[in-house]
Every structure is written in C-alpha cells, then in structure tokens.
Amino acid sequence: MPSDDFLSLDQISNLFPQLENIQLIGTKGPQQIFSATLKSNFAPVILRLVPTEEADVFGWTPEFVIRSRAIVEQSHQGLLRVYEVGQAGSFTFIISAHSPYPRLADIEKIPQIKPQTALTIIRNLAEGLLTLHRKGIFHGGITPKQITVRPDGGDALLLPINIYPAQPPVDMGDFASPEWVTGAEPAFTPGMDIYALGLTLYLLLTRTTPLEAQFAMPSSLIRCSDEVDAVVSRAINPSPRERYRDMGEFITDLDKAIARPAGGISAAPAKSAVQPAIALNGSGKGQSNVYYYLIPALIVGIVLTYTCILYKKDVAKIRSDYNEQVQKANEAKADVVRKANK
C-alpha cells in the first residue's frame, strides 16, 4: 500500500482523542500499528488500524469484528486486555493492552524456566481461554507471537484474538492443528486452542518444537515426570477425538502434572522418538507409559511433516492472492480519482 494512504500522527490524534503519546511502531500490509497511552488510566496500549474498505482483504470481516467486540473488557490475568474494537472514520481498529515482556517467539531472550513454572504458565493461559470458550469464543490463532512472557518466567499473557485472521495456517506454522490445515474442521473448536497450548507447553519445557526435536518426549530432553509427558502428548495428539475435548479437562491434568512435575532424565537426549521406544525392553520406571505416549507423538511427526509440505506449497499462492487483491483495490481507487479529475 502506498505510504500516502497512511494517516499522520495528527490525524490519528483527532480520530482517537482517548489516546495520547501516540507513536507509529510498524506496518503490516494495509495495517498501521501504534503505541499509545490511554488517557483514562494511563495504561500502555497498542492501536492497530486497517482501512475499512480493505478490512475484508486483511481478514477483519464483520464476523471477526463482532467476535472481537465480545472480548472487549474481558478480564483475566492470563489474557491481554482488549479495550476497544470498532470503526473511526474510514478505518477499523483494535486497541489492546501493551505488554513490555518479550514474545515467546523470541525465546532466546527468556531464561530456562522450571517445568512447574512452565505448567503453571500454560494453566493460567488455559484458564483465561476457558472464560472465552464458555462464551462460545475460540481463539483459533495461538502462536508464540501472540504470547508475551516475563523474563523470569513468572508471568505470561496471551492476546485473546488472532489479529492476523486472513493468514492462518501460514503464520501459525506448526501451531495450526491438523484438522484446521487439512480443512477437516472448517470452524474453530476448543481442541484447536488446546493443540496450540500443548505445543506452547512443549516449547516452554524444551525450548524447541516437536519437529526440531524429532518428536522426542519432554522427559527425554529435560528432567520432568511421566505426568508431564502425558499431558503434552494428549494435548498435541493429531486426532481431535484423542485430544482433550475441552479446556477444563486439560486444566485438570495440568494440575496433576503441576503437583508432580519432576522426574528422571535420560542419560542422553533422544535423537528421535524411535530411540526411547527401543529402550523399552528394559524395566525402568515409567517406560511403558513413555512408550504409550510415543505412539501419538510419532503420528504427530507424520502429520506435521505433511503440514510443512502444505505450507511450502500454498504460502506463495496465498501471498500472491493477497497482494493481487490489494493491488486491484488500489487500482480501483486510482481509477475513481482519475475519473473525478477529468
């Protein structure tokens, strides 16, 4: 989009008198992103702005705006506050709280945290999402980019809406559930959010993804219990039927794992999910449980490998289609201007 179509800071100030200290911090396609402060309570916020005539192209459909408005003022310690969603002038906007913490996507900025802390963080996020699920609102776009974590691991916050709804599954990467990627389930479900939280827990525990770790169980990479392996493997099971069906059930098992987070650690980290299975000929503690949980992990490996192929195949087409729609919209506006000047 040409820079001429963007609003100046003075124009933004006039459109949003409830904000002060407004600063442009970035753009994403037709979207402008500003940091600001709410005059009412001095809270730091982020303002995201998209021209309403291009909102559908970006993914901010009327249905998305309605769903986002339902989240406004929902308060939970695991969720970033969304203060306002609506239209100002010819723009659609979202004003949400601004967290000073690094995003989980920048995990190298976050020191290693203990398994119990990681479990507690995920439980807090799950409890926040449960408040939305009870209202029939599902996130559908949880990724490390949407989660901020305090560097000491003492707190984490999830933005409760997917602010880039036009772009899943591309931007979601491995965090898009198999049924969403394949189209087997066209609508958001609790299981999709649980799947993403399960992968987030794996990342917090091991500082890597199942794909990068060749689908090894957490207990083969860090010191944690069988209960931790159990809750992770069920949460990321590729089959919605075998996965947790609702967030409350997930939280119950997280509580069990929090009560017993520690466990043994392998002599050396497993290079793949197959190696721990070979070791099951022995009689070590918990080995039968590990074997049981490796089966869905191997299935996850197959599904995610297939998913990656889909991403590589479709990403160019999706981006091309998006750019083409934006270009057509801009050309149409230019034609209107030219005709008006004749």
Side-chain angles (χ1 to χ4, degrees):
M1 172 182 279
S3 58
D4 289 347
D5 289 344
F6 288 146
L7 293 180
S8 68
L9 290 181
D10 287 341
Q11 290 172 313
I12 293 294
S13 297
N14 291 332
L15 279 177
F16 299 95
Q18 69 271 45
L19 303 180
E20 60 185 2
N21 303 322
I22 301 172
Q23 297 293 328
L24 178 66
I25 59 175
T27 59
K28 289 183 179 293
Q31 184 186 76
Q32 284 181 281
I33 307 169
F34 301 86
S35 64
T37 304
L38 278 178
K39 291 180 180 178
S40 59
N41 61 3
F42 307 106
V45 296
I46 295 293
L47 165 67
R48 294 176 174 86
L49 202 65
V50 174
T52 299
E53 64 180 13
E54 297 184 55
D56 282 0
V57 176
F58 187 71
W60 290 15
T61 63
E63 293 78 11
F64 169 76
V65 172
I66 291 171
R67 187 164 63 95
S68 300
R69 281 176 176 158
I71 295 170
V72 170
E73 300 298 337
Q74 289 293 317
S75 179
H76 188 276
Q77 60 182 351
L79 302 178
L80 273 170
R81 178 71 66 87
V82 177
Y83 287 100
E84 195 174 351
V85 178
Q87 292 186 340
S90 59
F91 291 84
T92 300
F93 70 91
I94 296 174
I95 299 175
S96 61
H98 175 50
S99 171
Y101 307 149
R103 296 182 182 185
L104 185 56
D106 302 319
I107 195 167
E108 68 279 357
K109 297 180 181 178
I110 305 167
Q112 178 70 54
I113 59 178
K114 296 179 180 179
Q116 189 171 38
T117 302
L119 291 161
T120 302
I121 285 174
I122 295 301
R123 189 200 186 284
N124 199 32
L125 299 183
E127 193 177 64
L129 284 169
L130 181 59
T131 65
L132 301 182
H133 286 191
R134 285 172 174 165
K135 297 178 180 296
I137 302 169
F138 308 116
H139 193 293
I142 299 171
T143 73
K145 293 180 181 179
Q146 304 275 0
I147 300 171
T148 62
V149 183
R150 204 166 73 191
D152 62 4
D155 194 11
L157 292 165
L158 169 67
L159 186 66
I161 52 176
N162 177 18
I163 57 175
Y164 309 118
Q167 299 176 22
V170 176
D171 270 12
M172 289 178 67
D174 294 343
F175 287 73
S177 66
E179 66 270 22
W180 174 249
V181 173
T182 61
E185 182 60 68
F188 294 143
T189 66
M192 293 178 184
D193 285 349
I194 292 169
Y195 182 87
L197 282 189
L199 288 176
T200 302
L201 176 56
Y202 192 102
L203 180 62
L204 283 171
L205 289 167
T206 67
R207 304 181 69 80
T208 187
T209 66
L211 185 62
E212 292 168 337
Q214 299 183 44
F215 314 105
M217 285 291 97
S219 62
S220 68
L221 301 172
I222 62 166
R223 188 178 298 279
C224 66
S225 65
D226 290 343
E227 284 83 356
V228 176
D229 281 349
V231 72
V232 170
S233 60
R234 186 175 177 191
I236 65 174
N237 195 300
S239 170
R241 293 184 179 180
E242 300 300 326
R243 198 182 307 147
Y244 292 106
R245 305 299 292 272
D246 63 75
M247 200 64 76
E249 187 181 11
F250 181 42
I251 290 171
T252 297
D253 277 5
L254 282 169
D255 285 338
K256 294 177 183 177
I258 289 170
R260 188 178 177 273
I265 188 167
S266 305
K271 293 184 179 179
S272 73
V274 176
Q275 290 185 357
I278 296 173
L280 291 174
N281 293 326
S283 58
K285 171 185 171 298
Q287 286 180 334
S288 60
N289 286 339
V290 173
Y291 179 71
Y292 177 80
Y293 294 122
L294 282 173
I295 294 173
L298 286 169
I299 298 173
V300 171
I302 296 170
V303 172
L304 289 183
T305 299
Y306 174 65
T307 298
C308 289
I309 294 172
L310 286 178
Y311 291 156
K312 292 177 181 178
K313 192 173 182 180
D314 292 345
V315 66
K317 184 178 186 303
I318 291 174
R319 288 176 176 168
S320 175
D321 290 346
Y322 171 80
N323 290 333
E324 184 178 346
Q325 290 180 64
V326 172
Q327 184 177 353
K328 285 181 179 178
N330 289 334
E331 288 174 353
K333 287 192 293 183
D335 286 341
V336 171
V337 172
R338 282 194 293 268
K339 290 177 182 179
N341 291 333
K342 285 184 177 179

